[in-house]
Amino acid sequence: MLGLKKLIERFKGTQVHALNPPDSNGVNTTGSSSTPGNCRVKFKGSKQKSSKACSGSGAETLIPFGFPRTDHLEPSIEPHLKPIQLIETLADLFAGLKLYSILSSLGDPKLLRRCLRAARQHALDVHSKVVLSAWLRYERREDELEGVSPMDCSSRFILECPKATLVSGYDPNSIYDNCKCYQECAKSTDSHISKVKTLEEDSDVSFCVGNEEIDCIRFKIAALSRPLKAMLYGSFKESKSRKIDFSLTGTSVEGMRAVDLYSRTRRVDLFPPEVVLELLSFANRLCCEEMKSDCDIHLASLVSCIEDALILIEYGLEERANFLVASCLQVLLRQLPSSLYNPKVTKMFCSFEAKERLASAGHASFILYYFLSQVSMEVNTVSNVTVMLLERLRECAAQKWQKALALHQLGCVLLERQEYASAQCCFEAAAEASHVYSLAGNARCRFKQGQRYSAYKLMSSVISEYKAVGWMCQERSLYNVGKDKIDDLNTATELDPTLVFPYKYRAALKAEEKQTTAAILEIDRIIGFKLEPDCLELRAWFLIAIEDYGCALRDVRALFPLDPNYRMFDEHISGEILIEFLNLKVQQGSQVDCWMQLYDRWSCLDDFGSLAVIHQMLVNDPGKSLLRFRQFLLLLRLNCQKAAMRCLRLARNLSSSEHKKLVYEGWILYDTGHREEAIARADESISIQRSFEAFFLKAYILADTSLGPESSYVIQLLEEAIRCPSDGLRKGQALNNLGSIYVDCGKLDDATNCYMNALEIKHTRAHQGLARIHFLRNQRKAAYDEMSKLIEKACSNALVYEKRSKYCDGLMAKNDLNMATRLDPLRTYPYRYRAAVLMDEQKDNEAIKEVSKAIAFKPDLQMLHLRAAFYESIGDLKSAVCDCEAALCLEPNHIDTLDLYNKARGT
């Protein structure tokens, strides 16, 4: 009891303004466009405080907004579902939006696209197809490609065709078919119309509209609907009349003539849109179902732009024309995010009344508002539009997980808007819907309202009740103090080394203690395997503080490809301005000097430094598509998928020649899984002009699958690429790839020549290929020494240590693998190797524990498969089945896992 009183006493006096003291700047609740989930550094303090801490006037000038302080750092609550038992939850799922919502927290764009494709593949109704097809387009960011219409069919696959979405039903045999997008030649209808109109002798009834008489065929009009049949052939007086007055029905002369012509031809494409709209209204009033369907489908085919969609959707909603509404909806959705800036579009979705109107036509759903709210959160997290869309999402939620997701995301947004009481209510409701992670949001809201001890107790109870995971300890650290706070942060890193906040806090703490070099080393730990703009910003700050302006400039330059709109020092200044200041402190080289630096950085496997050099080159030559392409390649290596694809799209847009544009489009298609189309783009580019990149692209795609008989063809393609003009950096890569294929084919001498030629032009990675050749020739010591040469040039590269471990035994291999894990805990091979060794030593529990350590923060396919095999070998079939099912969520067609799954189930 005494200990509890001491703990309470420690919290006294720091509750009310724990993170935002009265004199500090508040969070911008209207202009921020960041998504919850990144923990931006808050820079507080005055210039006077800065000048005391800085050792030189240069640092004072460059840091006008003060130094970062530990009590101003906090991680954001992530707007995703984060199950406590992730693997068990995945095992219960195989496809659909719930899987998407859970995997969103892993941040793998390809995995998320696969989930969306699976959901689109199994969609039955037109509405779901429209939303999912638009969502897939948005995930590919096709809106950033110049010259591409939102309604273009960007793929030959029927799943992604905008026209195919307007066809209801599900055919499992056609989901991988090519779509049939083509323009039919317009057929002249004038002769047909005149021919029909000359058949007046067939007419036996006239409909009078004002002073006009429209001659019709009685039985054809009667065939349009039961009410018309009853009127013309029933007991009504019109059945005996030769002329029927239709003046009071609201039908115009043109409209009635169209009704007559439709009754004879069953076609609506003969009329202009305004007449078809009148036919639609006529069909609704008189229950002409076939006419209504034809009008609905025809009008749906005419919608092509936002202006048309906003007009026609009103008619569609009024007349219950579901296909027309779906078509209008598709146009609006396929132009996201730009359409979200149109106030007429937001009005269409945001209010409760608007949602109810859409619902009346069958077009208000959880999936629609889930998509809209995700886009809005990316555009502006704290906008009123985002809040309203999330409120509509909550209203559409039916299942428990849907309610949890909607409430949790709304809580995240309200927390960012500093509406703490409302946010707390949302988090509490989400927690009641069994989403435990929302308790972190609840605790944060309590803390923001001055209830620090209450927040601490809540997170402590969560840690006691559930198996601890990284985010729990991270969250409790915010409410802890002293050594206990550091202990929580260290435990969070041990459980989940991918959490950014603990590194940032420890680094900032060391900086406060005047240990700036130690602070840099701490933040280097996370930057080494996970590039985050705010971590680079923090390191740049530390480097400025010790007046290492060259490295600070490198970090700021490398930050831009990750987030071009990033603003530094608590969003006070743009990166461009900071670069201008730093340029005054650092000597600037020419474009030729930059190329020399790029060769040096590339040869040292310094992808990060290469990224900074290319940014400097782009400042001198911003329209150079080749440099954007180089950015793309580097960002892929650095595992920055989204930023890489943005650079690739920029390269495509900036390309001045068609053959280069085709190559970049090929890479985009390959990234999104369209292998055959990517090869077709490469072939088309080669037909225009033979180039290194076109041959390399085709060879890369073909080599990415099991080569077999294609090996010789890939070799030819790479040899053609090497013969084409290019710089040494790219030729070195081609030689390295060619050497790898020669090794696979058993041609070790040819491979050795390729690797030696690559080394001559400073492609240092060729050491890895030579090491492999030495190993295949039973020269293990030579292989180890070859990898050691690579380590001398790239001592901070985890992959190099991982590869060298394969050429040594015992303690040396263990040390290399431990170094690889320390440099990059996301690499799974070291965990798998250590687990396999433990399994060989019959230490089953230790082996499973080693694999589980990595699965806790990276549910990797191979790791799950390996643990399932371990479970199966010790007879724990239930756990083996669970891991197999989770693995199949990540890759449904993984043959080895399917075999193990069937074996564990006894089938």
Side-chain angles (χ1 to χ4, degrees), residues 753-785:
N753 290 333
C754 287
Y755 290 132
M756 295 302 295
N757 290 334
L759 286 174
E760 287 181 7
I761 52 179
K762 292 189 174 183
H763 190 80
T764 316
R765 285 180 170 85
H767 283 297
Q768 186 177 319
L770 286 175
R772 185 183 173 197
I773 292 174
H774 290 314
F775 181 73
L776 291 172
R777 288 173 169 165
N778 295 319
Q779 301 169 353
R780 198 168 187 182
K781 175 68 167 58
Y784 181 87
D785 292 341

CSV table of all heavy atoms in Angstrom, one decimal, residues 753-785:
chain,number,residue,atom,x,y,z
A,753,ASN,N,33.3,-14.5,-64.8
A,753,ASN,CA,33.6,-13.3,-65.7
A,753,ASN,C,32.7,-12.2,-65.5
A,753,ASN,O,33.1,-11.0,-65.5
A,753,ASN,CB,33.6,-13.8,-67.1
A,753,ASN,CG,34.8,-14.7,-67.5
A,753,ASN,OD1,35.8,-14.7,-66.8
A,753,ASN,ND2,34.6,-15.6,-68.5
A,754,CYS,N,31.4,-12.5,-65.4
A,754,CYS,CA,30.4,-11.4,-65.2
A,754,CYS,C,30.6,-10.7,-63.9
A,754,CYS,O,30.6,-9.4,-63.9
A,754,CYS,CB,29.0,-12.0,-65.2
A,754,CYS,SG,28.4,-12.6,-66.8
A,755,TYR,N,30.9,-11.4,-62.8
A,755,TYR,CA,31.1,-10.8,-61.5
A,755,TYR,C,32.4,-9.9,-61.5
A,755,TYR,O,32.4,-8.8,-60.9
A,755,TYR,CB,31.1,-11.8,-60.4
A,755,TYR,CG,29.8,-12.5,-60.2
A,755,TYR,CD1,29.6,-13.8,-60.1
A,755,TYR,CD2,28.6,-11.7,-60.0
A,755,TYR,CE1,28.4,-14.4,-59.8
A,755,TYR,CE2,27.4,-12.3,-59.7
A,755,TYR,CZ,27.3,-13.6,-59.7
A,755,TYR,OH,26.1,-14.2,-59.4
A,756,MET,N,33.4,-10.4,-62.1
A,756,MET,CA,34.7,-9.7,-62.2
A,756,MET,C,34.5,-8.4,-63.0
A,756,MET,O,35.0,-7.3,-62.6
A,756,MET,CB,35.8,-10.5,-62.8
A,756,MET,CG,36.1,-11.8,-61.9
A,756,MET,SD,36.7,-11.3,-60.3
A,756,MET,CE,38.2,-10.4,-60.6
A,757,ASN,N,33.8,-8.5,-64.1
A,757,ASN,CA,33.5,-7.3,-64.9
A,757,ASN,C,32.7,-6.3,-64.1
A,757,ASN,O,32.8,-5.1,-64.3
A,757,ASN,CB,32.8,-7.7,-66.2
A,757,ASN,CG,33.7,-8.4,-67.2
A,757,ASN,OD1,34.9,-8.2,-67.1
A,757,ASN,ND2,33.1,-9.2,-68.1
A,758,ALA,N,31.7,-6.8,-63.3
A,758,ALA,CA,30.9,-5.9,-62.5
A,758,ALA,C,31.7,-5.2,-61.5
A,758,ALA,O,31.5,-4.0,-61.2
A,758,ALA,CB,29.8,-6.7,-61.9
A,759,LEU,N,32.7,-5.9,-60.9
A,759,LEU,CA,33.5,-5.3,-59.8
A,759,LEU,C,34.4,-4.2,-60.5
A,759,LEU,O,34.7,-3.2,-59.8
A,759,LEU,CB,34.4,-6.4,-59.2
A,759,LEU,CG,33.7,-7.3,-58.2
A,759,LEU,CD1,34.6,-8.4,-57.7
A,759,LEU,CD2,33.1,-6.5,-57.0
A,760,GLU,N,34.8,-4.4,-61.7
A,760,GLU,CA,35.7,-3.4,-62.4
A,760,GLU,C,35.0,-2.1,-62.5
A,760,GLU,O,35.6,-1.0,-62.6
A,760,GLU,CB,36.1,-3.9,-63.7
A,760,GLU,CG,37.1,-5.0,-63.7
A,760,GLU,CD,37.6,-5.5,-65.0
A,760,GLU,OE1,37.1,-4.9,-66.0
A,760,GLU,OE2,38.3,-6.5,-65.1
A,761,ILE,N,33.6,-2.1,-62.6
A,761,ILE,CA,32.9,-0.8,-62.7
A,761,ILE,C,32.2,-0.5,-61.4
A,761,ILE,O,31.1,0.1,-61.3
A,761,ILE,CB,31.9,-0.9,-63.8
A,761,ILE,CG1,31.0,-2.1,-63.8
A,761,ILE,CG2,32.6,-0.8,-65.2
A,761,ILE,CD1,29.9,-2.1,-64.9
A,762,LYS,N,32.8,-1.0,-60.2
A,762,LYS,CA,32.4,-0.6,-58.9
A,762,LYS,C,31.1,-1.2,-58.5
A,762,LYS,O,30.4,-0.5,-57.6
A,762,LYS,CB,32.5,0.9,-58.7
A,762,LYS,CG,33.9,1.5,-58.7
A,762,LYS,CD,33.8,2.9,-58.3
A,762,LYS,CE,35.3,3.5,-58.2
A,762,LYS,NZ,35.3,4.9,-57.7
A,763,HIS,N,30.6,-2.3,-59.0
A,763,HIS,CA,29.4,-2.9,-58.6
A,763,HIS,C,29.8,-3.9,-57.4
A,763,HIS,O,30.0,-5.1,-57.7
A,763,HIS,CB,28.6,-3.6,-59.7
A,763,HIS,CG,27.3,-4.0,-59.3
A,763,HIS,ND1,26.2,-3.2,-59.3
A,763,HIS,CD2,26.8,-5.2,-58.8
A,763,HIS,CE1,25.1,-3.8,-58.9
A,763,HIS,NE2,25.5,-5.1,-58.6
A,764,THR,N,29.9,-3.3,-56.2
A,764,THR,CA,30.4,-4.1,-55.1
A,764,THR,C,29.6,-5.3,-54.7
A,764,THR,O,30.2,-6.3,-54.2
A,764,THR,CB,30.5,-3.1,-53.9
A,764,THR,OG1,31.0,-1.9,-54.3
A,764,THR,CG2,31.4,-3.7,-52.8
A,765,ARG,N,28.4,-5.3,-55.0
A,765,ARG,CA,27.5,-6.4,-54.7
A,765,ARG,C,28.0,-7.7,-55.4
A,765,ARG,O,27.6,-8.8,-55.0
A,765,ARG,CB,26.0,-6.2,-55.0
A,765,ARG,CG,25.4,-5.2,-54.0
A,765,ARG,CD,23.9,-5.0,-54.4
A,765,ARG,NE,23.2,-4.3,-53.3
A,765,ARG,CZ,23.2,-3.0,-53.1
A,765,ARG,NH1,23.9,-2.2,-54.0
A,765,ARG,NH2,22.5,-2.4,-52.1
A,766,ALA,N,28.8,-7.6,-56.4
A,766,ALA,CA,29.3,-8.8,-57.1
A,766,ALA,C,30.1,-9.7,-56.2
A,766,ALA,O,30.3,-10.8,-56.5
A,766,ALA,CB,30.1,-8.3,-58.4
A,767,HIS,N,30.7,-9.1,-55.1
A,767,HIS,CA,31.4,-10.0,-54.2
A,767,HIS,C,30.5,-11.1,-53.7
A,767,HIS,O,31.0,-12.2,-53.5
A,767,HIS,CB,31.9,-9.1,-53.0
A,767,HIS,CG,33.1,-8.3,-53.3
A,767,HIS,ND1,34.3,-8.8,-53.6
A,767,HIS,CD2,33.2,-6.9,-53.3
A,767,HIS,CE1,35.2,-7.8,-53.8
A,767,HIS,NE2,34.5,-6.6,-53.6
A,768,GLN,N,29.3,-10.8,-53.5
A,768,GLN,CA,28.3,-11.8,-53.0
A,768,GLN,C,28.2,-13.0,-54.0
A,768,GLN,O,28.2,-14.1,-53.6
A,768,GLN,CB,27.0,-11.1,-52.8
A,768,GLN,CG,25.9,-12.0,-52.2
A,768,GLN,CD,24.6,-11.2,-51.9
A,768,GLN,OE1,24.7,-10.1,-51.5
A,768,GLN,NE2,23.5,-11.9,-52.2
A,769,GLY,N,28.2,-12.6,-55.3
A,769,GLY,CA,28.1,-13.7,-56.3
A,769,GLY,C,29.4,-14.5,-56.4
A,769,GLY,O,29.3,-15.7,-56.6
A,770,LEU,N,30.5,-13.8,-56.3
A,770,LEU,CA,31.8,-14.6,-56.3
A,770,LEU,C,31.9,-15.5,-55.1
A,770,LEU,O,32.4,-16.6,-55.2
A,770,LEU,CB,33.0,-13.6,-56.3
A,770,LEU,CG,33.2,-12.9,-57.6
A,770,LEU,CD1,34.3,-11.8,-57.4
A,770,LEU,CD2,33.6,-13.9,-58.7
A,771,ALA,N,31.4,-15.0,-54.0
A,771,ALA,CA,31.4,-15.9,-52.8
A,771,ALA,C,30.6,-17.2,-53.0
A,771,ALA,O,30.9,-18.3,-52.6
A,771,ALA,CB,30.8,-15.1,-51.6
A,772,ARG,N,29.4,-17.0,-53.7
A,772,ARG,CA,28.6,-18.1,-54.0
A,772,ARG,C,29.3,-19.1,-54.9
A,772,ARG,O,29.2,-20.4,-54.7
A,772,ARG,CB,27.3,-17.7,-54.6
A,772,ARG,CG,26.3,-18.7,-54.9
A,772,ARG,CD,25.1,-18.2,-55.6
A,772,ARG,NE,24.1,-19.2,-56.0
A,772,ARG,CZ,23.2,-19.0,-56.9
A,772,ARG,NH1,23.1,-17.8,-57.5
A,772,ARG,NH2,22.4,-20.0,-57.3
A,773,ILE,N,30.1,-18.6,-55.8
A,773,ILE,CA,30.8,-19.5,-56.7
A,773,ILE,C,31.9,-20.3,-56.0
A,773,ILE,O,32.1,-21.5,-56.2
A,773,ILE,CB,31.4,-18.7,-57.9
A,773,ILE,CG1,30.3,-18.2,-58.8
A,773,ILE,CG2,32.4,-19.5,-58.7
A,773,ILE,CD1,30.8,-17.3,-59.9
A,774,HIS,N,32.6,-19.6,-55.1
A,774,HIS,CA,33.6,-20.2,-54.3
A,774,HIS,C,33.0,-21.4,-53.5
A,774,HIS,O,33.6,-22.4,-53.3
A,774,HIS,CB,34.3,-19.2,-53.3
A,774,HIS,CG,35.2,-18.2,-54.0
A,774,HIS,ND1,36.1,-18.6,-55.0
A,774,HIS,CD2,35.3,-16.9,-53.9
A,774,HIS,CE1,36.7,-17.5,-55.4
A,774,HIS,NE2,36.3,-16.5,-54.7
A,775,PHE,N,31.8,-21.1,-52.9
A,775,PHE,CA,31.2,-22.1,-52.1
A,775,PHE,C,30.8,-23.3,-52.9
A,775,PHE,O,30.9,-24.4,-52.5
A,775,PHE,CB,29.9,-21.4,-51.4
A,775,PHE,CG,29.2,-22.4,-50.5
A,775,PHE,CD1,29.7,-22.8,-49.3
A,775,PHE,CD2,27.9,-22.9,-50.9
A,775,PHE,CE1,29.0,-23.6,-48.5
A,775,PHE,CE2,27.2,-23.8,-50.1
A,775,PHE,CZ,27.7,-24.1,-48.9
A,776,LEU,N,30.3,-23.1,-54.1
A,776,LEU,CA,29.9,-24.2,-55.0
A,776,LEU,C,31.1,-25.0,-55.4
A,776,LEU,O,31.0,-26.2,-55.8
A,776,LEU,CB,29.1,-23.6,-56.2
A,776,LEU,CG,27.7,-23.1,-55.9
A,776,LEU,CD1,27.2,-22.4,-57.2
A,776,LEU,CD2,26.8,-24.1,-55.5
A,777,ARG,N,32.3,-24.4,-55.4
A,777,ARG,CA,33.5,-25.1,-55.7
A,777,ARG,C,34.2,-25.7,-54.5
A,777,ARG,O,35.4,-26.0,-54.5
A,777,ARG,CB,34.4,-24.1,-56.5
A,777,ARG,CG,34.0,-23.8,-57.9
A,777,ARG,CD,34.8,-22.8,-58.5
A,777,ARG,NE,34.5,-22.6,-60.0
A,777,ARG,CZ,34.9,-21.6,-60.7
A,777,ARG,NH1,35.6,-20.6,-60.2
A,777,ARG,NH2,34.6,-21.6,-62.0
A,778,ASN,N,33.4,-25.7,-53.4
A,778,ASN,CA,33.9,-26.3,-52.1
A,778,ASN,C,35.1,-25.5,-51.6
A,778,ASN,O,36.0,-26.0,-50.9
A,778,ASN,CB,34.3,-27.7,-52.3
A,778,ASN,CG,33.1,-28.6,-52.6
A,778,ASN,OD1,32.0,-28.5,-52.0
A,778,ASN,ND2,33.3,-29.6,-53.5
A,779,GLN,N,35.1,-24.2,-51.9
A,779,GLN,CA,36.1,-23.3,-51.3
A,779,GLN,C,35.5,-22.4,-50.3
A,779,GLN,O,35.3,-21.1,-50.5
A,779,GLN,CB,36.7,-22.5,-52.5
A,779,GLN,CG,37.4,-23.3,-53.5
A,779,GLN,CD,37.8,-22.5,-54.8
A,779,GLN,OE1,37.5,-21.4,-54.9
A,779,GLN,NE2,38.5,-23.2,-55.7
A,780,ARG,N,35.1,-22.9,-49.2
A,780,ARG,CA,34.3,-22.2,-48.2
A,780,ARG,C,35.1,-21.0,-47.6
A,780,ARG,O,34.5,-20.0,-47.4
A,780,ARG,CB,33.8,-23.2,-47.1
A,780,ARG,CG,32.7,-22.6,-46.3
A,780,ARG,CD,32.1,-23.7,-45.4
A,780,ARG,NE,30.9,-23.3,-44.8
A,780,ARG,CZ,30.2,-24.0,-44.0
A,780,ARG,NH1,30.5,-25.2,-43.7
A,780,ARG,NH2,29.1,-23.5,-43.4
A,781,LYS,N,36.3,-21.2,-47.3
A,781,LYS,CA,37.1,-20.2,-46.7
A,781,LYS,C,37.2,-19.0,-47.7
A,781,LYS,O,37.1,-17.8,-47.3
A,781,LYS,CB,38.5,-20.7,-46.4
A,781,LYS,CG,39.5,-19.7,-46.0
A,781,LYS,CD,39.2,-19.1,-44.6
A,781,LYS,CE,40.3,-18.3,-44.0
A,781,LYS,NZ,40.8,-17.2,-44.8
A,782,ALA,N,37.4,-19.3,-49.0
A,782,ALA,CA,37.4,-18.2,-50.0
A,782,ALA,C,36.1,-17.5,-50.1
A,782,ALA,O,36.1,-16.2,-50.3
A,782,ALA,CB,37.8,-18.8,-51.4
A,783,ALA,N,35.0,-18.2,-49.9
A,783,ALA,CA,33.7,-17.6,-50.0
A,783,ALA,C,33.5,-16.6,-48.8
A,783,ALA,O,33.1,-15.5,-48.9
A,783,ALA,CB,32.6,-18.7,-49.9
A,784,TYR,N,34.0,-17.1,-47.6
A,784,TYR,CA,33.9,-16.2,-46.4
A,784,TYR,C,34.8,-15.0,-46.6
A,784,TYR,O,34.4,-13.9,-46.3
A,784,TYR,CB,34.4,-17.1,-45.2
A,784,TYR,CG,34.4,-16.3,-43.9
A,784,TYR,CD1,33.3,-16.3,-43.1
A,784,TYR,CD2,35.5,-15.6,-43.5
A,784,TYR,CE1,33.2,-15.6,-41.9
A,784,TYR,CE2,35.5,-14.9,-42.3
A,784,TYR,CZ,34.4,-14.9,-41.5
A,784,TYR,OH,34.3,-14.2,-40.3
A,785,ASP,N,36.0,-15.2,-47.1
A,785,ASP,CA,36.9,-14.0,-47.3
A,785,ASP,C,36.3,-13.0,-48.3
A,785,ASP,O,36.4,-11.8,-48.2
A,785,ASP,CB,38.2,-14.5,-47.8
A,785,ASP,CG,39.0,-15.3,-46.7
A,785,ASP,OD1,38.6,-15.1,-45.6
A,785,ASP,OD2,39.9,-16.0,-47.1
